Short mmCIF file of all heavy atoms in Angstrom, two decimals:
data_model
loop_
_atom_site.label_atom_id
_atom_site.label_comp_id
_atom_site.label_asym_id
_atom_site.label_seq_id
_atom_site.Cartn_x
_atom_site.Cartn_y
_atom_site.Cartn_z
N MET E 439 -23.22 -185.13 107.42
CA MET E 439 -23.32 -183.97 106.55
C MET E 439 -22.02 -183.30 106.39
O MET E 439 -21.35 -182.94 107.39
CB MET E 439 -24.38 -183.07 107.09
CG MET E 439 -24.45 -181.70 106.38
SD MET E 439 -25.63 -181.72 105.03
CE MET E 439 -27.19 -181.61 106.01
N LYS E 440 -21.62 -183.03 105.17
CA LYS E 440 -20.45 -182.25 104.89
C LYS E 440 -20.78 -181.20 103.85
O LYS E 440 -21.69 -181.40 103.08
CB LYS E 440 -19.28 -183.09 104.34
CG LYS E 440 -18.71 -184.06 105.34
CD LYS E 440 -17.62 -184.85 104.69
CE LYS E 440 -17.08 -185.95 105.68
NZ LYS E 440 -16.12 -186.91 105.04
N TYR E 441 -20.07 -180.07 103.96
CA TYR E 441 -20.34 -178.99 102.99
C TYR E 441 -19.17 -178.71 102.11
O TYR E 441 -18.05 -179.11 102.39
CB TYR E 441 -20.67 -177.70 103.80
CG TYR E 441 -22.08 -177.62 104.35
CD1 TYR E 441 -22.29 -178.11 105.62
CD2 TYR E 441 -23.09 -177.12 103.65
CE1 TYR E 441 -23.61 -178.11 106.18
CE2 TYR E 441 -24.40 -177.05 104.21
CZ TYR E 441 -24.64 -177.61 105.40
OH TYR E 441 -25.94 -177.59 105.90
N PHE E 442 -19.50 -178.16 100.98
CA PHE E 442 -18.52 -177.84 99.96
C PHE E 442 -18.77 -176.39 99.43
O PHE E 442 -19.87 -175.98 99.38
CB PHE E 442 -18.60 -178.78 98.75
CG PHE E 442 -18.55 -180.21 99.14
CD1 PHE E 442 -19.78 -180.88 99.36
CD2 PHE E 442 -17.39 -180.89 99.38
CE1 PHE E 442 -19.82 -182.24 99.75
CE2 PHE E 442 -17.41 -182.25 99.72
CZ PHE E 442 -18.60 -182.93 99.93
N VAL E 443 -17.72 -175.70 99.16
CA VAL E 443 -17.88 -174.37 98.53
C VAL E 443 -17.45 -174.51 97.04
O VAL E 443 -16.38 -174.93 96.78
CB VAL E 443 -17.06 -173.30 99.19
CG1 VAL E 443 -17.18 -171.98 98.56
CG2 VAL E 443 -17.49 -173.21 100.65
N ASN E 444 -18.33 -174.10 96.11
CA ASN E 444 -18.02 -174.27 94.74
C ASN E 444 -17.39 -173.02 94.15
O ASN E 444 -17.15 -172.03 94.85
CB ASN E 444 -19.28 -174.72 93.89
CG ASN E 444 -20.32 -173.66 93.85
OD1 ASN E 444 -20.04 -172.49 93.80
ND2 ASN E 444 -21.53 -174.09 93.80
N ASP E 445 -17.13 -173.00 92.84
CA ASP E 445 -16.35 -171.93 92.25
C ASP E 445 -17.08 -170.64 92.16
O ASP E 445 -16.51 -169.63 91.76
CB ASP E 445 -15.90 -172.33 90.84
CG ASP E 445 -14.83 -173.43 90.87
OD1 ASP E 445 -14.21 -173.62 91.94
OD2 ASP E 445 -14.67 -174.05 89.79
N SER E 446 -18.34 -170.66 92.57
CA SER E 446 -19.18 -169.42 92.47
C SER E 446 -18.86 -168.45 93.56
O SER E 446 -19.26 -167.25 93.55
CB SER E 446 -20.66 -169.71 92.50
OG SER E 446 -21.01 -170.54 91.43
N CYS E 447 -18.10 -168.89 94.64
CA CYS E 447 -17.91 -168.02 95.77
C CYS E 447 -17.30 -166.67 95.34
O CYS E 447 -16.30 -166.59 94.61
CB CYS E 447 -16.95 -168.76 96.72
SG CYS E 447 -16.45 -167.74 98.16
N ILE E 448 -17.89 -165.59 95.92
CA ILE E 448 -17.37 -164.23 95.63
C ILE E 448 -16.64 -163.66 96.85
O ILE E 448 -16.29 -162.54 96.83
CB ILE E 448 -18.56 -163.30 95.26
CG1 ILE E 448 -19.63 -163.27 96.28
CG2 ILE E 448 -19.08 -163.71 93.87
CD1 ILE E 448 -20.70 -162.19 96.08
N GLY E 449 -16.49 -164.52 97.89
CA GLY E 449 -15.68 -164.08 99.01
C GLY E 449 -16.28 -163.05 99.95
O GLY E 449 -15.63 -162.29 100.57
N CYS E 450 -17.66 -163.09 100.03
CA CYS E 450 -18.32 -162.05 100.91
C CYS E 450 -18.10 -162.31 102.34
O CYS E 450 -18.19 -161.32 103.16
CB CYS E 450 -19.82 -162.05 100.61
SG CYS E 450 -20.65 -163.45 101.17
N GLY E 451 -17.78 -163.44 102.79
CA GLY E 451 -17.48 -163.73 104.13
C GLY E 451 -18.68 -164.06 105.04
O GLY E 451 -18.54 -164.39 106.19
N LEU E 452 -19.91 -164.00 104.48
CA LEU E 452 -21.07 -164.25 105.32
C LEU E 452 -21.09 -165.66 105.90
O LEU E 452 -21.49 -165.84 107.09
CB LEU E 452 -22.35 -164.07 104.46
CG LEU E 452 -22.72 -162.61 104.15
CD1 LEU E 452 -23.91 -162.60 103.23
CD2 LEU E 452 -23.03 -161.87 105.42
N CYS E 453 -20.67 -166.65 105.19
CA CYS E 453 -20.79 -168.01 105.74
C CYS E 453 -19.80 -168.19 106.91
O CYS E 453 -20.13 -168.83 107.90
CB CYS E 453 -20.43 -169.02 104.66
SG CYS E 453 -18.90 -168.82 103.80
N ALA E 454 -18.61 -167.58 106.82
CA ALA E 454 -17.69 -167.72 107.90
C ALA E 454 -18.19 -166.98 109.15
O ALA E 454 -17.85 -167.38 110.26
CB ALA E 454 -16.32 -167.15 107.47
N MET E 455 -19.00 -165.93 108.93
CA MET E 455 -19.49 -165.24 110.16
C MET E 455 -20.68 -166.02 110.71
O MET E 455 -20.85 -166.16 111.89
CB MET E 455 -19.95 -163.81 109.70
CG MET E 455 -18.82 -162.87 109.58
SD MET E 455 -19.44 -161.11 109.43
CE MET E 455 -19.84 -161.11 107.68
N ALA E 456 -21.45 -166.65 109.82
CA ALA E 456 -22.66 -167.39 110.25
C ALA E 456 -22.28 -168.69 110.95
O ALA E 456 -22.95 -169.10 111.86
CB ALA E 456 -23.58 -167.63 109.10
N CYS E 457 -21.23 -169.34 110.51
CA CYS E 457 -20.91 -170.68 111.04
C CYS E 457 -19.37 -170.87 110.91
O CYS E 457 -18.88 -171.63 110.05
CB CYS E 457 -21.64 -171.78 110.28
SG CYS E 457 -21.36 -173.42 111.09
N PRO E 458 -18.63 -170.24 111.78
CA PRO E 458 -17.13 -170.30 111.70
C PRO E 458 -16.59 -171.72 112.05
O PRO E 458 -15.52 -171.99 111.76
CB PRO E 458 -16.68 -169.30 112.72
CG PRO E 458 -17.82 -169.05 113.69
CD PRO E 458 -19.06 -169.28 112.86
N GLU E 459 -17.46 -172.56 112.64
CA GLU E 459 -17.03 -173.87 112.95
C GLU E 459 -16.85 -174.74 111.62
O GLU E 459 -16.14 -175.72 111.68
CB GLU E 459 -18.04 -174.63 113.85
CG GLU E 459 -18.25 -174.01 115.19
CD GLU E 459 -19.27 -172.89 115.26
OE1 GLU E 459 -19.71 -172.41 114.20
OE2 GLU E 459 -19.55 -172.42 116.33
N VAL E 460 -17.56 -174.28 110.62
CA VAL E 460 -17.47 -175.10 109.33
C VAL E 460 -16.79 -174.29 108.24
O VAL E 460 -16.09 -174.88 107.35
CB VAL E 460 -18.95 -175.43 108.94
CG1 VAL E 460 -18.89 -176.11 107.57
CG2 VAL E 460 -19.54 -176.41 109.93
N PHE E 461 -17.06 -172.98 108.18
CA PHE E 461 -16.51 -172.19 107.00
C PHE E 461 -15.45 -171.24 107.47
O PHE E 461 -15.60 -170.58 108.55
CB PHE E 461 -17.70 -171.39 106.39
CG PHE E 461 -18.77 -172.26 105.87
CD1 PHE E 461 -19.91 -172.48 106.63
CD2 PHE E 461 -18.66 -172.94 104.65
CE1 PHE E 461 -20.94 -173.30 106.22
CE2 PHE E 461 -19.70 -173.81 104.22
CZ PHE E 461 -20.83 -173.98 104.98
N GLU E 462 -14.42 -171.11 106.58
CA GLU E 462 -13.35 -170.15 106.94
C GLU E 462 -12.95 -169.51 105.60
O GLU E 462 -13.06 -170.12 104.49
CB GLU E 462 -12.20 -170.75 107.67
CG GLU E 462 -11.48 -171.88 106.93
CD GLU E 462 -10.29 -172.39 107.74
OE1 GLU E 462 -9.36 -171.59 107.94
OE2 GLU E 462 -10.36 -173.55 108.11
N MET E 463 -12.35 -168.31 105.69
CA MET E 463 -11.85 -167.63 104.55
C MET E 463 -10.39 -167.92 104.38
O MET E 463 -9.61 -167.99 105.29
CB MET E 463 -12.05 -166.10 104.70
CG MET E 463 -13.50 -165.65 105.03
SD MET E 463 -14.73 -166.28 103.80
CE MET E 463 -14.24 -165.40 102.36
N THR E 464 -10.02 -168.19 103.13
CA THR E 464 -8.64 -168.45 102.84
C THR E 464 -7.87 -167.20 102.49
O THR E 464 -8.53 -166.07 102.33
CB THR E 464 -8.50 -169.35 101.52
OG1 THR E 464 -8.95 -168.58 100.39
CG2 THR E 464 -9.30 -170.57 101.63
N ASP E 465 -6.58 -167.22 102.44
CA ASP E 465 -5.79 -166.01 102.05
C ASP E 465 -6.12 -165.54 100.69
O ASP E 465 -5.89 -164.36 100.40
CB ASP E 465 -4.28 -166.41 102.15
CG ASP E 465 -3.81 -166.65 103.55
OD1 ASP E 465 -4.55 -166.22 104.47
OD2 ASP E 465 -2.72 -167.22 103.70
N ALA E 466 -6.70 -166.38 99.87
CA ALA E 466 -7.05 -166.00 98.49
C ALA E 466 -8.44 -165.26 98.51
O ALA E 466 -8.82 -164.81 97.45
CB ALA E 466 -7.10 -167.26 97.64
N GLY E 467 -9.02 -165.18 99.70
CA GLY E 467 -10.29 -164.40 99.81
C GLY E 467 -11.54 -165.21 99.47
O GLY E 467 -12.59 -164.59 99.20
N ILE E 468 -11.49 -166.46 99.38
CA ILE E 468 -12.67 -167.21 99.17
C ILE E 468 -12.93 -168.16 100.35
O ILE E 468 -11.97 -168.38 101.22
CB ILE E 468 -12.62 -168.12 97.84
CG1 ILE E 468 -11.42 -169.02 97.92
CG2 ILE E 468 -12.57 -167.19 96.65
CD1 ILE E 468 -11.45 -170.11 96.89
N ALA E 469 -14.08 -168.72 100.47
CA ALA E 469 -14.47 -169.57 101.57
C ALA E 469 -14.08 -171.00 101.27
O ALA E 469 -14.17 -171.51 100.16
CB ALA E 469 -15.91 -169.43 101.86
N ILE E 470 -13.76 -171.71 102.34
CA ILE E 470 -13.68 -173.24 102.29
C ILE E 470 -14.38 -173.81 103.40
O ILE E 470 -14.63 -173.14 104.45
CB ILE E 470 -12.18 -173.70 102.29
CG1 ILE E 470 -11.46 -173.16 103.56
CG2 ILE E 470 -11.40 -173.29 101.05
CD1 ILE E 470 -10.10 -173.83 103.75
N ALA E 471 -14.94 -175.00 103.24
CA ALA E 471 -15.58 -175.72 104.21
C ALA E 471 -14.80 -176.77 104.89
O ALA E 471 -13.87 -177.34 104.16
CB ALA E 471 -16.87 -176.28 103.67
N SER E 472 -14.99 -177.02 106.15
CA SER E 472 -14.25 -178.12 106.83
C SER E 472 -14.59 -179.43 106.10
O SER E 472 -15.70 -179.68 105.63
CB SER E 472 -14.77 -178.16 108.25
OG SER E 472 -14.30 -179.35 108.88
N LYS E 473 -13.54 -180.28 106.03
CA LYS E 473 -13.74 -181.53 105.40
C LYS E 473 -14.29 -182.60 106.41
O LYS E 473 -14.62 -183.77 106.03
CB LYS E 473 -12.38 -182.13 104.88
CG LYS E 473 -11.84 -181.32 103.71
CD LYS E 473 -10.53 -181.95 103.21
CE LYS E 473 -10.10 -181.32 101.90
NZ LYS E 473 -9.90 -179.87 101.98
N LYS E 474 -14.45 -182.16 107.63
CA LYS E 474 -14.98 -183.04 108.67
C LYS E 474 -16.52 -183.08 108.62
O LYS E 474 -17.15 -182.04 108.17
CB LYS E 474 -14.50 -182.59 110.04
CG LYS E 474 -13.03 -182.69 110.23
CD LYS E 474 -12.65 -182.16 111.59
CE LYS E 474 -11.11 -182.12 111.76
NZ LYS E 474 -10.74 -181.31 112.92
N GLU E 475 -17.11 -184.09 109.23
CA GLU E 475 -18.51 -184.14 109.36
C GLU E 475 -18.99 -182.96 110.28
O GLU E 475 -18.31 -182.61 111.25
CB GLU E 475 -18.86 -185.53 110.11
CG GLU E 475 -20.30 -185.86 109.98
CD GLU E 475 -20.70 -186.36 108.55
OE1 GLU E 475 -19.83 -186.66 107.72
OE2 GLU E 475 -21.90 -186.43 108.30
N VAL E 476 -20.05 -182.28 109.92
CA VAL E 476 -20.52 -181.15 110.68
C VAL E 476 -21.05 -181.60 112.03
O VAL E 476 -21.95 -182.50 112.03
CB VAL E 476 -21.63 -180.39 109.89
CG1 VAL E 476 -22.16 -179.25 110.77
CG2 VAL E 476 -21.02 -179.83 108.56
N PRO E 477 -20.55 -181.14 113.14
CA PRO E 477 -21.06 -181.51 114.45
C PRO E 477 -22.56 -181.14 114.52
O PRO E 477 -23.05 -180.14 113.99
CB PRO E 477 -20.27 -180.69 115.40
CG PRO E 477 -19.06 -180.17 114.67
CD PRO E 477 -19.50 -180.11 113.21
N THR E 478 -23.29 -182.00 115.29
CA THR E 478 -24.73 -181.86 115.46
C THR E 478 -25.11 -180.41 115.92
O THR E 478 -26.15 -179.87 115.48
CB THR E 478 -25.27 -182.87 116.38
OG1 THR E 478 -24.81 -184.19 116.00
CG2 THR E 478 -26.80 -182.90 116.35
N ASP E 479 -24.32 -179.90 116.89
CA ASP E 479 -24.70 -178.63 117.45
C ASP E 479 -24.49 -177.45 116.55
O ASP E 479 -24.91 -176.35 116.96
CB ASP E 479 -23.98 -178.45 118.88
CG ASP E 479 -22.45 -178.40 118.64
OD1 ASP E 479 -21.97 -178.97 117.69
OD2 ASP E 479 -21.80 -177.82 119.51
N VAL E 480 -23.90 -177.61 115.41
CA VAL E 480 -23.76 -176.49 114.54
C VAL E 480 -24.48 -176.75 113.16
O VAL E 480 -24.32 -175.95 112.22
CB VAL E 480 -22.29 -176.05 114.26
CG1 VAL E 480 -21.65 -175.57 115.56
CG2 VAL E 480 -21.50 -177.15 113.64
N LEU E 481 -25.31 -177.79 113.16
CA LEU E 481 -26.03 -178.09 111.85
C LEU E 481 -26.92 -176.92 111.41
O LEU E 481 -26.99 -176.55 110.33
CB LEU E 481 -26.80 -179.37 112.04
CG LEU E 481 -26.08 -180.70 111.85
CD1 LEU E 481 -27.06 -181.88 112.17
CD2 LEU E 481 -25.56 -180.75 110.42
N ASP E 482 -27.65 -176.32 112.43
CA ASP E 482 -28.52 -175.26 112.10
C ASP E 482 -27.75 -174.04 111.58
O ASP E 482 -28.14 -173.37 110.59
CB ASP E 482 -29.32 -174.80 113.31
CG ASP E 482 -30.43 -175.81 113.61
OD1 ASP E 482 -30.68 -176.72 112.82
OD2 ASP E 482 -31.10 -175.66 114.72
N ALA E 483 -26.60 -173.71 112.23
CA ALA E 483 -25.82 -172.60 111.84
C ALA E 483 -25.23 -172.82 110.39
O ALA E 483 -25.23 -171.86 109.53
CB ALA E 483 -24.72 -172.29 112.80
N ALA E 484 -24.85 -174.04 110.11
CA ALA E 484 -24.24 -174.37 108.82
C ALA E 484 -25.33 -174.21 107.76
O ALA E 484 -25.11 -173.75 106.68
CB ALA E 484 -23.65 -175.76 108.82
N ALA E 485 -26.57 -174.67 108.07
CA ALA E 485 -27.65 -174.54 107.10
C ALA E 485 -28.01 -173.16 106.90
O ALA E 485 -28.34 -172.72 105.72
CB ALA E 485 -28.85 -175.35 107.63
N GLN E 486 -27.95 -172.28 107.92
CA GLN E 486 -28.21 -170.85 107.69
C GLN E 486 -27.16 -170.26 106.88
O GLN E 486 -27.42 -169.41 106.00
CB GLN E 486 -28.26 -170.13 109.05
CG GLN E 486 -29.51 -170.43 109.82
CD GLN E 486 -29.65 -169.69 111.09
OE1 GLN E 486 -28.84 -168.76 111.40
NE2 GLN E 486 -30.66 -169.95 111.87
N ALA E 487 -25.83 -170.68 107.11
CA ALA E 487 -24.79 -170.13 106.23
C ALA E 487 -25.02 -170.47 104.76
O ALA E 487 -24.86 -169.70 103.85
CB ALA E 487 -23.47 -170.72 106.70
N GLN E 488 -25.48 -171.77 104.54
CA GLN E 488 -25.73 -172.19 103.15
C GLN E 488 -26.83 -171.32 102.53
O GLN E 488 -26.70 -170.87 101.40
CB GLN E 488 -26.09 -173.66 103.11
CG GLN E 488 -26.35 -174.16 101.77
CD GLN E 488 -26.71 -175.62 101.69
OE1 GLN E 488 -27.44 -176.09 102.62
NE2 GLN E 488 -26.38 -176.27 100.60
N SER E 489 -27.93 -171.19 103.26
CA SER E 489 -29.06 -170.48 102.68
C SER E 489 -28.79 -169.00 102.53
O SER E 489 -29.44 -168.31 101.68
CB SER E 489 -30.36 -170.72 103.48
OG SER E 489 -30.26 -170.19 104.85
N GLY E 490 -27.84 -168.46 103.32
CA GLY E 490 -27.50 -167.08 103.25
C GLY E 490 -26.54 -166.68 102.21
O GLY E 490 -26.24 -165.50 101.98
N CYS E 491 -25.91 -167.67 101.57
CA CYS E 491 -24.92 -167.45 100.56
C CYS E 491 -25.56 -166.69 99.37
O CYS E 491 -26.47 -167.26 98.78
CB CYS E 491 -24.22 -168.63 100.07
SG CYS E 491 -23.01 -168.34 98.72
N PRO E 492 -25.16 -165.50 98.99
CA PRO E 492 -25.78 -164.69 97.93
C PRO E 492 -25.67 -165.36 96.55
O PRO E 492 -26.42 -164.91 95.64
CB PRO E 492 -25.20 -163.34 98.07
CG PRO E 492 -23.80 -163.61 98.63
CD PRO E 492 -23.97 -164.78 99.58
N VAL E 493 -24.76 -166.23 96.37
CA VAL E 493 -24.52 -166.76 94.99
C VAL E 493 -24.65 -168.29 94.96
O VAL E 493 -24.30 -168.93 94.05
CB VAL E 493 -23.08 -166.34 94.49
CG1 VAL E 493 -23.06 -164.85 94.21
CG2 VAL E 493 -22.01 -166.78 95.41
N ASN E 494 -25.34 -168.85 96.06
CA ASN E 494 -25.56 -170.22 96.11
C ASN E 494 -24.23 -171.16 95.78
O ASN E 494 -24.31 -172.10 95.06
CB ASN E 494 -26.64 -170.73 95.06
CG ASN E 494 -27.97 -170.14 95.47
OD1 ASN E 494 -28.35 -170.07 96.61
ND2 ASN E 494 -28.71 -169.67 94.42
N ALA E 495 -23.16 -170.68 96.49
CA ALA E 495 -21.88 -171.37 96.26
C ALA E 495 -21.67 -172.56 97.20
O ALA E 495 -20.71 -173.29 97.12
CB ALA E 495 -20.78 -170.38 96.41
N ILE E 496 -22.61 -172.64 98.21
CA ILE E 496 -22.43 -173.74 99.19
C ILE E 496 -23.29 -174.92 98.94
O ILE E 496 -24.57 -174.85 98.73
CB ILE E 496 -22.70 -173.17 100.59
CG1 ILE E 496 -21.82 -172.03 100.89
CG2 ILE E 496 -22.63 -174.26 101.65
CD1 ILE E 496 -22.09 -171.27 102.19
N GLU E 497 -22.68 -176.11 98.78
CA GLU E 497 -23.36 -177.36 98.52
C GLU E 497 -23.11 -178.32 99.71
O GLU E 497 -22.17 -178.10 100.42
CB GLU E 497 -22.87 -177.96 97.25
CG GLU E 497 -22.97 -177.04 96.04
CD GLU E 497 -22.32 -177.61 94.81
OE1 GLU E 497 -22.36 -178.87 94.67
OE2 GLU E 497 -21.84 -176.82 93.97
N ASN E 498 -23.96 -179.32 99.77
CA ASN E 498 -23.64 -180.37 100.82
C ASN E 498 -23.92 -181.72 100.16
O ASN E 498 -24.40 -181.88 99.02
CB ASN E 498 -24.48 -180.13 102.06
CG ASN E 498 -25.92 -180.31 101.83
OD1 ASN E 498 -26.42 -181.19 101.22
ND2 ASN E 498 -26.74 -179.31 102.34
N ASP E 499 -23.54 -182.75 100.95
CA ASP E 499 -23.58 -184.13 100.46
C ASP E 499 -24.88 -184.81 100.90
O ASP E 499 -24.94 -186.06 100.81
CB ASP E 499 -22.35 -184.90 100.87
CG ASP E 499 -22.25 -185.06 102.43
OD1 ASP E 499 -23.12 -184.52 103.12
OD2 ASP E 499 -21.30 -185.72 102.84
N ASP E 500 -25.80 -184.06 101.40
CA ASP E 500 -27.05 -184.68 101.90
C ASP E 500 -27.86 -185.16 100.81
O ASP E 500 -28.02 -184.51 99.68
CB ASP E 500 -27.81 -183.67 102.76
CG ASP E 500 -28.95 -184.36 103.46
OD1 ASP E 500 -28.90 -185.56 103.72
OD2 ASP E 500 -29.91 -183.64 103.84
S1 LIG O 1853 -21.40 -166.79 101.73
FE1 LIG O 1853 -21.09 -167.70 99.69
S2 LIG O 1853 -20.06 -166.15 98.49
FE2 LIG O 1853 -19.95 -165.53 100.63
S3 LIG O 1853 -17.88 -166.32 101.26
FE3 LIG O 1853 -19.44 -167.86 101.79
S4 LIG O 1853 -19.45 -169.30 100.05
FE4 LIG O 1853 -18.43 -167.42 99.30
#
């Protein structure tokens, strides 16, 4: 499983707080997702980050 942040991101920072192993904020103030496969032990946190995004900007390849 890999995640992607689309152009809808408003830079609220929630995903990076919910799952910093996968999501981080750029200097431009938007989120990016790790290009690596999500480790098993953070799958739940990553899914919570996705569901918590207020603008549905987080997609995955599942
Ligand atoms: S939760 Fe959504 S809107 Fe907020 S920073 Fe993450 S991707 Fe962007």
Side-chain angles (χ1 to χ4, degrees):
M439 171 92 75
K440 291 179 186 173
Y441 282 90
F442 309 93
V443 177
N444 67 32
D445 291 343
S446 300
C447 176
I448 57 171
C450 72
L452 284 174
C453 57
M455 282 191 278
C457 187
E459 296 87 351
V460 175
F461 300 98
E462 64 179 294
M463 305 306 294
T464 68
D465 290 343
I468 58 165
I470 54 170
S472 169
K473 292 182 171 59
K474 297 177 186 167
E475 197 72 17
V476 177
T478 309
D479 60 336
V480 297
L481 277 175
D482 285 352
Q486 285 184 9
Q488 181 181 31
S489 64
C491 176
V493 293
N494 295 321
I496 300 175
E497 304 173 30
N498 64 47
D499 65 356
D500 191 20

